[in-house]
Amino acid sequence: MKETNVKLLIMDVDGTLLNDQKQITERTKKALIQLQQEGIMLGIASGRPVKGLQRFAQELRMPEFGGILISSNGARAETLDGNVLFENPIPLDLAHQVLEHLKKFNVRPMVEDGDYMQVNNVYNNLITTGDRTFNVMDYEAHSNGFLLKESHDLCKSVKTPPCKILTAGDDTYLQEHYKEMEAPFADVLDCMFTAPFYFEYTNKDINKGTAISHLPYQKEEIASIGDAQNDISMLKSSGIGVAMGNAVDETKAVADYVTADNNNDGIALWIEDFFGIKPDNQ
């Protein structure tokens, strides 16, 4: 393996670690496991809640080597054994204000609650994006390993400061109303699209780069790989930033390297080249 300062490699999930079938390819998996065997720690950073990251950590054998999970778009960072390194949730009174405001709109709020995702009505679950209509609560619950818990009033049932408030809705509806949804909170929260059908709230100035700056590593010891706009802060906060071939132009513009896309082993190809390892020969 080549000499390098890198001690931690952090990866985004959707569009980066996962291909379009939401799977880690075998070549990428082998490369990441061998990298850990060579002494490089792995981190996973995503807009997903931490519960939605744990199965990928298991698949990559991260519990054997240690590692870091950055969840809710940077609102929380923790080690695999649950040691919290950074957390900045939405203050509870402010979260209640958001949830009260959202009652004015045709959206489905979802708030993490341990093993559960709190929602208003499990039967009010269909949204349309493009030409596809699907059960968004089933999608979110199964993607992240949650059970669903109904609450007629989330303002009363949400009792701890949430790392984020996720709302789902028809893509056209969200485009027409997101400015009204964010207007009362624009100065105190970060409000953003994380998919055409997802609009979410996190505490102010929370992003993946913020979380990385609180990790016990120097900037030059960190490399990161991503594809989306919410990965830009992560690449900027790392000594080495890598954009996937499928990345948006803004992310490619701040990257030190651009690799192949998520359907063609982009992570594995960059690892093999940069670190000088050949996982297929292990």
Side-chain angles (χ1 to χ4, degrees), residues 10-68:
I10 303 177
M11 303 158 291
D12 169 57
V13 175
D14 296 286
T16 301
L17 178 62
L18 305 182
N19 61 17
D20 289 351
Q21 287 70 51
K22 301 300 180 182
Q23 298 170 337
I24 305 174
T25 66
E26 283 303 311
R27 185 171 181 175
T28 292
K29 187 186 305 183
K30 288 179 180 179
L32 290 168
I33 290 171
Q34 185 168 350
L35 201 61
Q36 291 173 102
Q37 292 170 335
E38 296 285 351
I40 307 296
M41 194 82 75
L42 297 185
I44 300 175
S46 176
R48 296 181 184 226
V50 67
K51 190 172 178 61
L53 305 181
Q54 290 166 343
R55 65 186 177 98
F56 303 122
Q58 291 286 342
E59 190 172 351
L60 294 173
R61 294 171 50 188
M62 288 171 61
E64 297 178 34
F65 304 98
I68 292 171

Side-chain angles (χ1 to χ4, degrees), residues 263-280:
N263 292 317
N264 289 284
D265 296 302
I267 289 179
L269 291 171
W270 182 77
I271 288 173
E272 292 170 23
D273 180 62
F274 183 82
F275 292 98
I277 64 173
K278 298 297 180 185
D280 286 338

